[in-house]
């Protein structure tokens, strides 16, 4: 049987009369008698509670089915064993045959007419039949995602037919209860159970906790961390979710005292957990130990793990490992073939999944560890994200990326047994659902996933519009923000949905979509306004020779300060405040360090950055202060002229802010809408993190390119002389039309100029192609050479 969703044409089911939606508001849920796995019981509880939460209808649960012919309503059979449920004998042959072909965790969902006589005469029966207890839970999840649930009513299309088993056995997410998380450090046990349940409804089957790392506490935490570590295990036990622990060795493993303490701490937790399926030890990120120390530590963990959870395994990632360290791990695995080793995890800074599969013994599986949570400085950064958004929304903001992450999942999954994502909060909730659903069935259309998401979490009558609204939020981040008029349409769509759905006011997923739609629009309007202010300030500087340097700077400063004295879109700014506060109350989302006790400015503090300058105002203010101290008026005027013409070098000359999608017309970018994973990782800009996000340096030096694929120029003057000028850091290995050229000016500091003379022979056809070789540098990525700006100057 296919591992993907199948629309199986069951003859008996297809014979259902076309009588409109099947009313389930008076349905009886029938379960099997006797000893039933806890997850199967939980599945029925989930169905009853979720239906009642959305409709007010309480469904009756029995083990014997309706007892009289006078009872009205359909029957919902929820079981993993047809022969042990009252209505099992009435199951159509096609249902039984379909169930027999299921793989673990699979299920059948369908509708048939009841038998001719007896208590079930003429009753429609909804079949939710799992291959096992988990299958019942996932079948119930699909039923909840498919039903139409409104106040006082729930119904199902009687032609519903699903026969399915999951494509990948590992489908889960990291929910680390620690201070660093931007939301769930404020959660109680009930909220964790609610979220784990909702992930399971969409096909997730495992949870990874972070029990020890980041020991700092906060007043937001309502449950001691040691208690929550065990409570999460108990939740996983009830929902039959695998429970994983992420346990890095951040200390020096040659320190015998710390090593012994860590082993004892781990074993105590293992023994306290009713369920524990795996322990994941990242080789690095964090951790700096050689694998000759890491592997014996893992082996000792496995001994302690086996005492209380004999089937559990220990997994390893090669994050940060290179060269001999990687070779050491494979030599050990090839020689020892340890049975305690669960498999390899491929995450950020790991060797590729393809190279790992090539070297890893086939007996060991690979688990993907995708970063769904970060937008920049990440495993899967936003391709060509506009700097105005990167500087305000930042690394860990609300980030639905359904199409991009669908591409990533389906490109990476085939060599793995599935994934457990890296996440640090609820802001990536849509991404989690996309991955969970695609790991079940990679062929599921993204929009169909989002419609189910919106139907279940919002309301059926707006499901399609809300799904399109989520897709629109992703499109807000494609290309130049200033030129993306769709951003305003996205806000209009969400504000219209808000007026139609006042009952969703306190729904945190709804609040997240709203604040993103409003925030994107606010930043776009500010960007347009502040870009115009900077242009106006440059015009004021043009009067410096006539007015004097100081007077021109004073005038320019007054213009730039209008962003504060005459702020744009105050209604939107107020709404952002309201929605961020609502999100803190509803789900603990911390969008501000000062207001919400966020653990760091990078951790989703969009409220703190909502008014971050979107032009070069801070840099110009500092430049003006420096110019005032120059010894002579000519020097001041010369420097002001350089600032005024920085991005406008004159007729026949060109400027590119190389890492800014809106200001880099000569950079070869490729397709901005995808990550191009089928062709390898493309060159995309990197947004650096200086001074906790409030650096006063020129923005173009922060939004850098490491390095562009190429830069192309056409319609140049073959008779003119040209010079290439750059800013960046370190070495620039530039080739013009494939020929390496040496700099005639070679400053290497941030913001300092390099210059290269363009040989005349390359101008004969009026075109230039610039390419860059990446320097070989044994340096931390923060200090490696990079390109920020490039001018082609006509002399």
């Amino acid at each position: 049987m296919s591992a993907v969703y199948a629309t199986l044409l069951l003859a008996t089911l297809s014979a259902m009369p076309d009588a409109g939606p099947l009313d389930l508001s008076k349905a009886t849920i029938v379960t099997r008698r006797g000893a039933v796995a806890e997850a199967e019981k939980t599945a029925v509880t989930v169905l009853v509670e979720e239906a009642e939460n959305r409709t007010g209808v309480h469904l009756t649960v029995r083990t014997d089915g309706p007892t009289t012919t006078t009872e009205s309503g359909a029957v919902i059979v929820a079981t993993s064993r047809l022969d042990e449920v009252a209505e099992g004998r009435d199951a159509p042959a096609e249902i039984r045959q379909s169930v027999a072909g299921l793989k673990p965790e699979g299920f059948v969902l369908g509708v048939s007419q009841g038998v001719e006589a007896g208590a079930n005469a003429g009753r429609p029966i909804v079949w939710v039949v799992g291959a096992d207890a988990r299958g019942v839970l996932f079948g119930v999840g699909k039923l909840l995602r498919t039903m139409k649930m409104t106040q006082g009513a729930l119904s199902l299309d009687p032609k519903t037919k699903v026969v399915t088993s999951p494509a990948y056995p590992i489908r889960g997410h990291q929910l680390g209860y620690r201070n660093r998380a931007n939301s769930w450090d404020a959660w109680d046990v009930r909220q964790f159970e609610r979220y784990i349940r909702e992930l399971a409804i969409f096909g997730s089957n495992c949870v990874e906790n972070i029990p020890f790392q980041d020991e700092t506490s906060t007043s937001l935490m309502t449950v001691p961390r040691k208690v929550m570590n065990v409570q999460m295990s108990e939740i996983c036990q009830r929902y039959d979710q695998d429970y994983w622990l992420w346990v890095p060795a951040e200390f020096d493993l040659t320190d015998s005292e710390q090593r012994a303490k860590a082993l004892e701490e781990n074993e105590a937790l293992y023994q306290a957990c009713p369920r524990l399926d795996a322990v994941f030890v990242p080789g690095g990120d964090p951790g700096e130990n050689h694998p000759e120390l890491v592997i014996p530590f893992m082996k000792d963990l496995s001994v302690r793990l086996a005492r209380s959870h004999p089937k559990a395994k220990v997994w390893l990632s090669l994050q940060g490992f290179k060269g001999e360290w990687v070779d050491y791990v494979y030599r050990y695995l090839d020689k020892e073939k340890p049975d305690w080793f669960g498999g390899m995890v491929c995450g950020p800074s790991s060797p590729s999944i393809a190279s790992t599969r090539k070297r890893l013994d086939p007996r060991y599986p690979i688990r993907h560890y995708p970063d769904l949570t970060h937008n920049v400085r990440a495993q899967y950064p936003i391709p060509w994200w506009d700097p105005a958004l990167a500087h305000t929304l930042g690394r860990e903001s609300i980030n639905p990326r359904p199409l991009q992450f669908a591409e990533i999942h389906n490109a990476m999954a085939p060599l793995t047994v599935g994934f457990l994502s890296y996440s640090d909060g609820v802001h990536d909730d849509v991404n989690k659902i996309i991955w969970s659903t695609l790991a079940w069935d990679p062929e599921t259309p993204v929009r169909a996933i989002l419609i189910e998401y919106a139907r279940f979490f919002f309301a059926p009558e707006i499901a399609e519009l809300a799904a399109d609204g989520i897709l629109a939020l992703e499109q807000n981040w494609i290309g130049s923000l200033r030129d993306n008029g769709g951003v305003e349409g996205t806000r209009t769509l969400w504000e219209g949905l808000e007026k139609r759905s006042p009952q969703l006011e306190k729904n945190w997923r709804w609040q997240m979509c709203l604040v993103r739609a409003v925030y994107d629009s606010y930043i776009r309007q500010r960007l347009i306004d502040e870009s115009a202010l900077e242009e106006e300030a440059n015009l004021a500087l043009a009067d410096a020779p006539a007015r004097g340097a100081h007077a021109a700077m004073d005038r320019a400063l007054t213009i730039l300060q209008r962003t504060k004295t005459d702020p744009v879109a105050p209604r939107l700014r107020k709404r952002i405040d309201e929605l961020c506060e609502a999100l803190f109350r509803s789900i603990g989302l911390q969008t501000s360090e000062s207001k919400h006790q966020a653990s760091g400015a990078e951790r989703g503090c969009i409220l703190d950055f909502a008014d971050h300058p979107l032009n070069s105002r801070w840099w110009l203010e500092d430049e003006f202060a420096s110019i005032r101290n120059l010894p002579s008026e000519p020097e001041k005027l010369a420097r002001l002229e350089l600032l005024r013409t920085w991005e406008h070098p004159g007729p026949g000359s060109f400027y590119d802010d190389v890492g800014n999608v809106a200001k880099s017309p000569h950079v070869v970018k490729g397709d901005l809408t995808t990550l191009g994973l089928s062709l390898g990782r493309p060159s995309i800009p990197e947004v650096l993190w200086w001074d906790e996000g409030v650096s006063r340096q020129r923005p173009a030096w922060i939004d850098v390119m490491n390095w562009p694929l190429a830069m192309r120029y056409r319609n140049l003057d073959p008779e003119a002389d040209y010079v290439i000028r750059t800013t960046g850091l370190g070495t620039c290995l530039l080739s013009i039309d494939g020929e390496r050229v040496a700099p005639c000016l070679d400053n290497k500091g941030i913001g300092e100029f390099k210059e290269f003379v363009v040989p005349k022979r390359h101008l004969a056809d009026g075109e230039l192609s610039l390419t860059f070789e990446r320097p070989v540098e044994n340096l931390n990525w923060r200090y490696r050479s990079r390109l920020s700006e490039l001018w082609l100057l006509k002399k």
Side-chain angles (χ1 to χ4, degrees):
M1 178 173 296
S2 169
V4 303
Y5 276 115
T7 303
L8 186 65
L9 298 177
L10 304 177
T12 302
L13 305 188
S14 298
M16 285 286 293
D18 188 7
L22 175 60
D23 182 9
L24 297 179
S25 59
K26 297 180 180 179
T28 299
I29 301 173
V30 178
T31 63
R32 61 191 179 95
R33 306 178 184 89
V36 179
E38 188 170 14
E40 194 166 326
K41 295 178 182 177
T42 299
V44 175
T45 300
V46 168
L47 178 55
V48 172
E49 292 181 353
E50 295 302 319
E52 187 168 11
N53 287 344
R54 287 161 175 77
T55 67
V57 174
H58 182 79
L59 299 175
T60 302
V61 181
R62 293 182 175 177
T63 59
D64 55 1
T67 57
T68 71
T69 56
T70 60
E71 289 183 89
S72 62
V75 174
I76 302 173
V77 174
T79 184
S80 63
R81 297 182 185 178
L82 278 170
D83 293 339
E84 296 182 14
V85 70
E87 273 66 20
R89 62 183 177 274
D90 300 332
E94 290 80 7
I95 288 283
R96 290 181 174 276
Q97 292 167 6
S98 298
V99 172
L102 293 174
K103 296 178 181 178
E105 303 186 10
F107 62 86
V108 173
L109 171 62
V111 183
S112 71
Q113 196 68 29
V115 294
E116 294 297 324
N120 289 325
R123 294 180 191 276
I125 300 178
V126 178
W127 300 94
V128 184
V129 187
D132 45 33
R134 270 184 176 174
V136 180
L137 178 63
F138 297 135
V140 162
K142 180 62 176 176
L143 177 60
L144 287 166
R145 288 147 50 194
T146 306
M147 285 193 298
K148 181 178 181 180
M149 293 184 282
T150 58
Q151 188 61 38
L154 62 160
S155 61
L156 180 69
D157 183 343
K159 295 181 180 180
T160 299
K161 309 175 192 73
V162 178
V163 181
T164 179
S165 298
Y168 297 95
I170 298 179
R171 308 177 304 279
H173 305 280
Q174 193 176 77
L175 310 180
Y177 184 62
R178 57 176 180 168
N179 177 43
R180 193 171 302 179
N182 66 29
S183 46
W184 47 55
D185 55 332
W187 288 11
D188 56 24
V189 176
R190 177 190 57 82
Q191 287 172 298
F192 265 108
E193 178 166 3
R194 158 61 52 185
Y195 198 54
I196 290 170
R197 170 189 287 196
E198 290 168 347
L199 291 174
I201 285 171
F202 281 84
S204 179
N205 70 353
C206 42
V207 170
E208 186 167 76
N209 188 19
I210 299 176
F212 306 123
Q213 198 252 2
D214 182 17
E215 296 181 355
T216 58
S217 187
T218 168
S219 61
L220 294 176
M221 287 184 166
T222 61
V223 180
R225 201 164 176 198
K226 287 185 177 181
V227 173
M228 186 64 83
N229 290 339
V230 177
Q231 288 288 322
M232 290 179 70
S233 173
E234 293 175 354
I235 295 168
C236 288
Q237 180 79 347
R238 287 196 295 278
Y239 288 82
D240 198 9
Q241 301 284 294
D242 287 356
Y243 188 47
W244 289 58
L245 299 178
W246 184 83
V247 182
E250 295 186 85
F251 56 90
D252 184 349
L253 283 169
T254 63
D255 185 327
S256 58
E257 184 175 340
Q258 279 195 291
R259 190 181 189 278
K261 180 182 177 183
L263 290 172
E264 291 173 4
E265 188 175 38
N266 272 266
E267 184 169 14
L269 177 55
Y270 301 163
Q271 292 176 349
C273 289
R275 174 147 194 170
L276 183 54
D277 299 271
V279 172
F280 164 33
V281 178
D285 191 22
E288 301 292 337
N289 291 288
H290 191 283
E292 66 183 2
L293 299 172
V294 174
I295 290 175
F297 179 67
M298 292 173 60
K299 185 175 181 180
D300 286 350
L301 286 176
S302 74
V303 172
R304 287 154 176 79
L305 183 60
R307 291 170 184 166
S308 51
H309 302 279
K311 294 183 180 180
K313 303 289 185 180
V314 182
W315 294 59
L316 172 69
S317 74
L318 302 181
Q319 289 172 262
F321 283 15
K322 293 181 181 179
E324 188 273 330
W325 287 32
V326 173
D327 295 338
Y328 182 94
V329 172
Y330 286 117
R331 285 198 304 270
Y332 171 84
L333 293 176
D334 291 341
K335 179 182 179 182
E336 301 296 333
K337 297 177 170 51
D339 58 5
W340 55 263
F341 182 64
M344 198 70 76
V345 176
C346 287
S349 74
S350 292
S352 71
I353 291 174
S355 65
T356 301
R357 186 67 279 169
K358 186 178 293 186
R359 296 196 65 177
L360 185 63
D361 187 317
R363 76 180 65 198
Y364 298 123
I366 295 174
R367 187 204 105 186
H368 197 184
Y369 182 34
D371 178 358
L372 308 186
T373 211
H374 292 136
N375 305 321
V376 293
R377 300 178 295 282
Q379 184 183 20
Y380 301 117
I382 306 292
W384 283 97
W385 205 18
D386 193 294
L389 294 169
H391 286 293
T392 53
L393 283 164
R395 191 174 187 229
E396 208 170 88
S397 59
I398 299 159
N399 64 346
R401 298 169 60 189
L403 294 175
Q404 290 175 6
F405 273 124
E407 178 191 3
I408 294 169
H409 175 274
N410 288 350
M412 299 298 185
L415 296 179
T416 74
V417 292
F419 76 95
L420 261 158
S421 73
Y422 169 40
S423 176
D424 256 327
V426 295
H427 62 286
D428 57 12
D429 181 67
V430 167
N431 304 334
K432 291 190 183 84
I433 298 301
I434 291 291
W435 273 69
S436 294
T437 308
L438 291 177
W440 188 289
D441 173 12
E443 296 179 10
T444 309
V446 169
R447 187 170 183 269
I449 299 172
L450 296 176
I451 289 172
E452 285 193 348
Y453 179 93
R455 181 190 296 123
F456 182 73
F457 291 121
F458 299 155
E461 62 270 17
I462 61 167
E464 292 201 28
L465 277 175
D468 291 337
I470 293 171
L471 289 167
L473 289 174
E474 183 176 30
Q475 293 303 306
N476 280 3
W477 288 4
I478 303 299
S480 165
L481 178 63
R482 181 184 58 201
D483 299 329
N484 187 354
V487 170
E488 307 307 329
T490 301
R491 175 174 59 81
T492 299
L493 170 60
W494 279 104
E495 289 180 339
L497 289 172
E498 181 183 21
K499 290 178 182 178
R500 287 180 56 182
S501 310
Q503 76 279 9
L504 296 173
E505 178 185 10
K506 296 182 180 180
N507 180 309
W508 62 267
R509 290 180 171 90
W510 186 254
Q511 292 165 346
M512 288 205 305
C513 290
L514 281 172
V515 76
R516 258 292 313 283
V518 173
Y519 199 100
D520 291 356
S521 175
Y522 176 66
I523 296 303
R524 180 174 183 267
Q525 292 184 41
R526 283 190 55 230
L527 174 63
I528 292 170
D529 180 70
E530 293 185 26
S531 297
L533 291 178
E534 185 166 343
E535 292 299 315
E536 188 178 345
N538 283 332
L539 289 176
L541 295 182
D543 291 339
R547 296 168 57 95
H550 286 241
M553 287 188 287
D554 290 342
R555 174 61 182 152
L557 286 172
T558 299
I559 294 168
L560 293 171
Q561 286 298 318
R562 289 214 301 263
T563 189
K564 296 195 297 187
T565 60
D566 186 18
V568 70
R571 181 187 73 83
L572 299 184
R573 183 64 180 84
K574 182 173 183 275
R575 189 68 177 125
I576 290 168
D577 279 339
E578 294 168 349
L579 287 166
C580 285
E581 187 60 32
L583 277 162
F584 181 63
R585 292 195 303 268
S586 63
I587 202 65
L589 187 64
Q590 298 137 43
T591 57
S592 169
E593 283 187 285
S594 59
K595 291 186 176 182
H596 305 142
Q597 302 177 54
S599 62
E602 269 192 300
R603 298 288 173 178
C605 292
I606 64 171
L607 190 55
D608 292 346
F609 288 89
D611 299 311
H612 185 88
L614 301 180
N615 56 20
S616 301
R617 172 166 60 89
W618 283 354
W619 178 69
L620 288 171
E621 288 173 350
D622 294 347
E623 285 292 309
F624 291 167
S626 176
I627 289 170
R628 291 179 192 276
N629 292 324
L630 292 176
S632 69
E633 183 73 2
E635 289 176 279
K636 295 175 183 179
L637 293 176
R639 183 63 182 173
L640 288 178
E641 181 65 8
L642 176 63
L643 297 183
R644 183 185 73 81
T645 60
W646 194 280
E647 295 186 17
H648 305 285
S653 295
F654 307 95
Y655 167 82
D656 284 76
D657 178 350
V658 179
N660 187 330
V661 67
K663 295 183 177 183
S664 51
H666 300 97
V667 175
V668 177
K669 300 180 178 69
D671 185 353
L672 300 185
T673 63
T674 73
L675 296 184
L677 289 168
S678 60
L679 303 176
R681 174 62 63 82
S683 293
I684 58 176
E686 179 67 74
V687 182
L688 304 177
W689 182 250
W690 293 349
D691 302 327
E692 292 301 301
V694 292
S695 171
R696 296 179 66 88
Q697 295 277 21
R698 180 170 173 77
W701 302 341
I702 302 173
D703 315 315
V704 299
M705 204 53 193
N706 301 331
W707 295 74
L709 291 172
M711 297 184 69
R712 300 252 163 80
Y713 298 84
R714 293 180 174 85
N715 300 318
L716 301 178
D717 182 355
E719 303 302 320
D721 295 321
Y722 287 90
V723 170
I724 293 168
R725 176 185 293 166
T726 70
T727 64
L729 177 66
T731 301
C732 180
L733 303 178
L734 170 66
S735 292
I736 301 177
D737 292 340
E739 178 186 339
R740 174 73 63 78
V741 293
C744 57
L745 178 67
D746 195 18
N747 296 309
K748 298 183 182 298
I750 293 170
E752 297 178 344
F753 292 150
K754 289 178 171 44
E755 291 189 352
F756 305 80
V757 174
V758 178
K760 274 280 195 181
R761 60 184 175 276
H762 293 300
L763 292 164
D765 60 357
E767 297 185 0
L768 287 180
S769 176
L770 311 183
T771 54
F772 306 85
E773 183 179 338
R774 188 181 298 269
V776 177
E777 298 170 309
N778 187 24
L779 297 169
N780 180 280
W781 64 270
R782 295 173 180 83
Y783 308 109
R784 291 175 191 161
S785 297
R786 55 182 177 261
L787 182 66
S788 298
E789 300 168 290
L790 190 144
W791 294 258
L792 180 62
L793 301 173
K794 184 179 181 181
K795 296 299 185 182

